[in-house]
Amino acid sequence: MDHLTDEVISFLQQKGPNFLKKWKEKAMLPPDLTQFHREKLESKGEFIYEVALKALSLPNVDLQTYLQASAHQLAQMKIRENSEIELLVYNLNMAKNILCEEMYNFQAEPQTLSKIFKQLSYIFDHFLYHSIMHYDRLKQQLNEQETRHIHSSHEDRLTLLGQMTSSFVHEFRNPLTTVQGFVQLLRAEYPDLPYMDIISSELDQLKFRITQFLMLSKKQEVNQEKVIFSLNELVEQVASFVYPRLLELKVSLQQEMEDGLFVKGIQEEVRQVIINIIFNAIEVMVSTDTESEIHIKGYRKGDSIYLEASNTGPKIPDSLIKDIFEPFVTTKKTGTGLGLYVSRQIIEKHRGQLLCRSNEEWTTFTIILPAPDQKGSSK
């Protein structure tokens, strides 16, 4: 069929102007047509036309390699144009139809024409297949690059925020420490002075909030020694710390803790996480009409220690719950969206997990930490 192929190619070469004319008339362009797309239209038609003629002349052993290489070129054109894959599919099929229409004028036996049509269909079908494959691969690479760029920019902004926050909060904490010192002196000299307990409690909570912000800064990432401590005692300390706030807002706190729960880590950081979760729960329940209740449950399961803090606040929407631990995401009107982000960073640093689930009745935050083994190390 070599001689016949030469005749077919020679015939189609003569029909080149007709092909390009019909191509420009029928090719589908993007809705947001630009001068760039107009200029590339003719060159793309010439490229597809040349690929088809070259493919007709190749033996089967070389055909797939050539079609793949040509498809990669076409996919790169589409990526540079930033046009949709649907246009590529339509225009390639349209180009095949134009060539087949031209072949009806070729003088040959019906059986011979049928073989030519089958070969053209084979070429265009595989050319289209490889073009879509390359287009999808290139598009995925671009999306991954964009995602990495966004993530990098996001991390840069968080780093800058941490540095700014650290500088500001360090300056803020110094006078706060002085105020706390004078409050202690006043309480010692005037034990009957009213409102000192309230002032002291508010200063403690302010100090807690400042510590939260400091944890955003890398300056706070010092190598503190991890120790084994009682989670039961820590929860009792937290309950005493938040008691004034619970009493003020009429929130009941129930505890259900198994005996002998120990974890290994930085006690103050884990304390910060538990306080943060409870404060969040208190704040979201303030605006509800239902009975405000927090239920803390601690237990061991396998090689892990679980601490669940549930509250009767409003359900967290499903669309938000997957991003609840991301920075600046909050359900509170006056929230910063940093507390849960910092809390997750702390728990993950302790080789644990911080999870959230929510329904119409309860919203539960679950802390999972590895239980220390008998030698005192975390598994």
Side-chain angles (χ1 to χ4, degrees):
M1 190 174 167
D2 290 343
H3 176 66
L4 180 59
T5 302
D6 291 340
E7 290 183 359
V8 171
I9 293 172
S10 178
F11 173 80
L12 288 177
Q13 284 175 338
Q14 297 173 16
K15 297 294 183 179
N18 287 345
F19 172 85
L20 292 176
K21 180 182 177 183
K22 292 180 180 178
W23 164 266
K24 287 191 287 186
E25 292 173 353
K26 297 181 178 182
M28 186 178 291
L29 291 168
D32 51 343
L33 181 63
T34 65
Q35 185 62 29
F36 175 78
H37 293 112
R38 291 185 187 277
E39 292 172 355
K40 294 297 180 183
L41 178 62
E42 186 169 354
S43 62
K44 195 184 303 169
E46 291 173 351
F47 176 76
I48 294 171
Y49 174 74
E50 290 170 2
V51 169
L53 266 61
K54 176 71 175 177
L56 280 171
S57 69
L58 292 174
N60 288 336
V61 67
D62 298 324
L63 184 58
Q64 286 296 328
T65 302
Y66 174 73
L67 288 177
Q68 286 190 42
S70 301
H72 188 264
Q73 286 182 259
L74 183 60
Q76 287 179 317
M77 293 182 194
K78 299 299 292 182
I79 290 292
R80 285 194 293 268
E81 293 175 6
N82 195 28
S83 59
E84 299 299 329
I85 191 67
E86 292 88 347
L87 298 180
L88 174 63
V89 175
Y90 175 85
N91 288 338
L92 276 180
N93 279 311
M94 186 267 295
K96 177 178 71 173
N97 292 336
I98 293 174
L99 285 178
C100 288
E101 287 174 5
E102 294 296 336
M103 284 306 304
Y104 279 116
N105 297 318
F106 183 70
Q107 299 299 320
E109 295 294 327
Q111 187 175 1
T112 302
L113 282 174
S114 176
K115 290 181 180 179
I116 296 171
F117 289 144
K118 285 182 180 178
Q119 184 66 4
L120 280 172
S121 292
Y122 178 89
I123 289 169
F124 273 92
D125 289 348
H126 284 75
F127 187 39
L128 175 60
Y129 168 76
H130 292 303
S131 296
I132 293 174
M133 290 288 289
H134 284 298
Y135 179 89
D136 286 343
R137 190 174 295 114
L138 290 171
K139 198 74 172 176
Q140 184 177 358
Q141 289 174 358
L142 284 176
N143 290 338
E144 289 173 354
Q145 290 174 5
E146 184 178 355
T147 300
R148 284 195 296 269
H149 175 71
I150 292 172
H151 180 73
S152 176
S153 299
H154 186 62
E155 290 297 322
D156 289 343
R157 287 196 297 270
L158 285 178
T159 300
L160 179 60
L161 174 65
Q163 293 170 350
M164 293 171 61
T165 301
S166 177
S167 299
F168 171 76
V169 174
H170 272 297
E171 294 299 323
F172 191 81
R173 190 167 61 169
N174 291 336
L176 178 63
T177 302
T178 303
V179 172
Q180 285 186 304
F182 278 107
V183 167
Q184 291 175 3
L185 288 174
L186 285 172
R187 293 182 72 176
E189 293 183 18
Y190 305 98
D192 297 328
L193 195 65
Y195 310 121
M196 295 306 296
D197 287 340
I198 297 175
I199 293 173
S200 180
S201 173
E202 292 297 320
L203 287 174
D204 284 341
Q205 292 190 33
L206 182 57
K207 183 179 178 182
F208 161 70
R209 295 300 184 188
I210 288 174
T211 304
Q212 261 191 330
F213 279 102
L214 280 175
M215 285 180 178
L216 286 172
S217 170
K218 291 185 177 180
K219 294 178 183 178
Q220 199 66 6
E221 294 179 6
V222 294
N223 292 322
Q224 295 175 268
E225 183 181 358
K226 293 183 178 181
V227 298
I228 295 178
F229 59 89
S230 168
L231 191 61
N232 304 73
E233 293 179 4
L234 185 62
V235 170
E236 284 295 335
Q237 293 172 14
V238 170
S240 298
F241 176 74
V242 300
Y243 178 74
R245 192 69 172 162
L246 296 172
L247 194 63
E248 177 188 356
L249 298 175
K250 299 179 181 178
V251 177
S252 64
L253 176 64
Q254 306 294 328
Q255 296 184 48
E256 185 183 344
M257 301 287 295
E258 284 185 9
D259 293 331
L261 296 178
F262 291 88
V263 294
K264 184 176 183 179
I266 302 171
Q267 183 170 346
E268 182 58 28
E269 290 190 353
V270 178
R271 179 177 181 270
Q272 293 283 344
V273 173
I274 299 172
I275 291 174
N276 185 55
I277 291 173
I278 293 178
F279 273 170
N280 280 351
I282 293 171
E283 290 172 12
V284 298
M285 289 189 294
V286 169
S287 59
T288 61
D289 297 330
T290 58
E291 183 178 353
S292 298
E293 183 178 341
I294 297 175
H295 185 199
I296 297 178
K297 181 179 180 181
Y299 57 94
R300 177 166 181 159
K301 184 178 179 181
D303 293 330
S304 298
I305 303 296
Y306 287 71
L307 186 69
E308 298 177 351
S310 304
N311 67 78
T312 55
K315 177 185 176 183
I316 300 174
D318 295 336
S319 59
L320 184 62
I321 199 165
K322 61 183 177 63
D323 298 320
I324 197 69
F325 296 110
E326 294 300 317
F328 312 116
V329 175
T330 181
T331 58
K332 299 178 292 184
K333 292 181 180 179
T334 59
T336 62
L338 295 175
L340 289 177
Y341 168 71
V342 171
S343 297
R344 184 181 64 173
Q345 297 292 102
I346 291 172
I347 296 302
E348 289 181 351
K349 188 172 72 173
H350 284 73
R351 298 171 60 194
Q353 291 179 279
L354 178 58
L355 309 173
C356 177
R357 64 180 186 273
S358 185
N359 56 37
E360 301 297 339
E361 296 181 356
W362 294 94
T363 293
T364 301
F365 287 88
T366 303
I367 300 171
I368 307 174
L369 292 169
D373 62 22
Q374 309 235 337
K375 295 179 181 179
S377 63
S378 295
K379 293 184 179 180

